[in-house]
Amino acid sequence: MIVTRIEEMSRSRRRIYLDESFAFVLYKGELRFYEVREGEALKEDAYRQIMEELLPKRATLRCMNLLADRPYTENQLREKLSRGMYPESCVDIALDYVKSYHYVDDRRFAEDYIENQQQKKSKRVIEMDLLKKGVSRELIEEAFAAQKELGNGPDEEALGKQWMKKKHFDPEHAEFKETQRMAAFLYRKGISSETIRKLLSCD
């Protein structure tokens, strides 16, 4: 493999291109240590150490530092590492490590998220949030089932009443247009049509 380009990212970091394709990012001191020189071949042993030891270790440490601040899903960590320009194989190694110790557990993340958000968000909105964070639909369903066994989970009717009170909405004295607006508002909040009808006495 030929080092076809070394591109400056910052005072200390460089993008390395091998055979015209982006390969990885190294610090200036590492260029000297691994003898990475533009226009020259990169030694096989140096490439192996970079890809199998240096960068996986760095990616794993990055994961651990992120997780020290707050929980992440596997997909969120993958996106963070990808934006940090770690090679995919190194990202896989790092994620396998943190998953093996259950530092990352999407099922547990989903359960905790449901428990923390149940007083503020409907089931549909929580589902959408978790899907956006990269949690699979299967794990989301399992997490809701587990929380339900514990007596947890969003109470749509209670949430709806809470939002109606906040909006100073009285279904018994509201005009038709006001009721329509409230129904649309509750639907956007993820409340089911059946619960909305019940709350607004639309039956």
Side-chain angles (χ1 to χ4, degrees):
M1 288 174 289
I2 304 299
V3 181
T4 49
R5 183 159 37 127
I6 298 176
E7 190 176 84
E8 183 174 341
M9 284 182 64
S10 65
R11 291 182 63 182
S12 60
R13 302 173 75 208
R14 301 291 185 269
R15 291 190 188 91
I16 311 303
Y17 292 78
L18 300 176
D19 298 333
E20 303 297 342
S21 297
F22 170 73
F24 41 68
V25 173
L26 294 177
Y27 286 95
K28 283 177 66 176
E30 292 164 351
L31 298 184
R32 294 189 295 272
F33 183 83
Y34 293 107
E35 299 179 350
V36 181
R37 303 185 186 93
E38 193 168 312
E40 297 185 11
L42 179 64
K43 295 177 182 177
E44 280 190 28
D45 188 54
Y47 179 78
R48 183 193 61 77
Q49 288 183 45
I50 292 168
M51 293 295 291
E52 297 179 13
E53 298 174 22
L54 176 71
L55 295 181
K57 183 177 179 181
R58 185 171 293 161
T60 301
L61 184 59
R62 173 65 173 151
C63 282
M64 298 298 288
N65 287 336
L66 287 167
L67 291 165
D69 292 331
R70 68 174 181 84
Y72 284 84
T73 65
E74 179 182 347
N75 187 65
Q76 287 175 319
L77 285 178
R78 185 175 293 279
E79 288 180 352
K80 287 276 190 182
L81 294 178
S82 295
R83 285 200 294 269
M85 290 181 284
Y86 289 96
E88 187 174 350
S89 62
C90 301
V91 173
D92 289 339
I93 292 171
L95 290 177
D96 285 344
Y97 177 85
V98 293
K99 285 194 295 181
S100 70
Y101 288 96
H102 297 284
Y103 298 142
V104 173
D105 185 327
D106 282 3
R107 161 72 181 271
R108 185 178 64 193
F109 181 99
E111 288 191 34
D112 290 345
Y113 191 83
I114 292 165
E115 187 174 355
N116 292 332
Q117 299 296 318
Q118 62 183 341
Q119 302 296 330
K120 296 178 285 185
K121 297 181 179 181
S122 67
K123 181 179 180 181
R124 182 158 63 90
V125 170
I126 291 174
E127 286 175 342
M128 290 170 61
D129 287 349
L130 289 170
L131 286 169
K132 287 177 183 177
K133 294 175 186 297
V135 182
S136 72
R137 193 172 294 278
E138 181 182 358
L139 287 180
I140 293 171
E141 290 174 358
E142 290 178 8
F144 269 112
Q147 285 296 303
K148 187 175 182 180
E149 288 184 6
L150 296 173
N152 293 329
D155 182 335
E156 284 198 349
E157 191 170 335
L159 283 169
K161 287 179 179 177
Q162 172 185 310
W163 289 323
M164 286 164 60
K165 184 177 179 181
K166 189 174 181 180
K167 292 280 188 178
H168 306 290
F169 178 82
D170 181 355
E172 292 184 9
H173 300 95
E175 294 181 358
F176 180 70
K177 286 186 177 180
E178 292 176 319
T179 300
Q180 281 187 315
R181 284 197 294 269
M182 179 52 65
F185 172 78
L186 293 174
Y187 186 78
R188 289 195 299 272
K189 286 286 191 178
I191 303 299
S192 69
S193 298
E194 182 181 351
T195 303
I196 291 173
R197 284 195 298 270
K198 183 177 180 181
L199 289 169
L200 302 183
S201 301
C202 296
D203 291 333

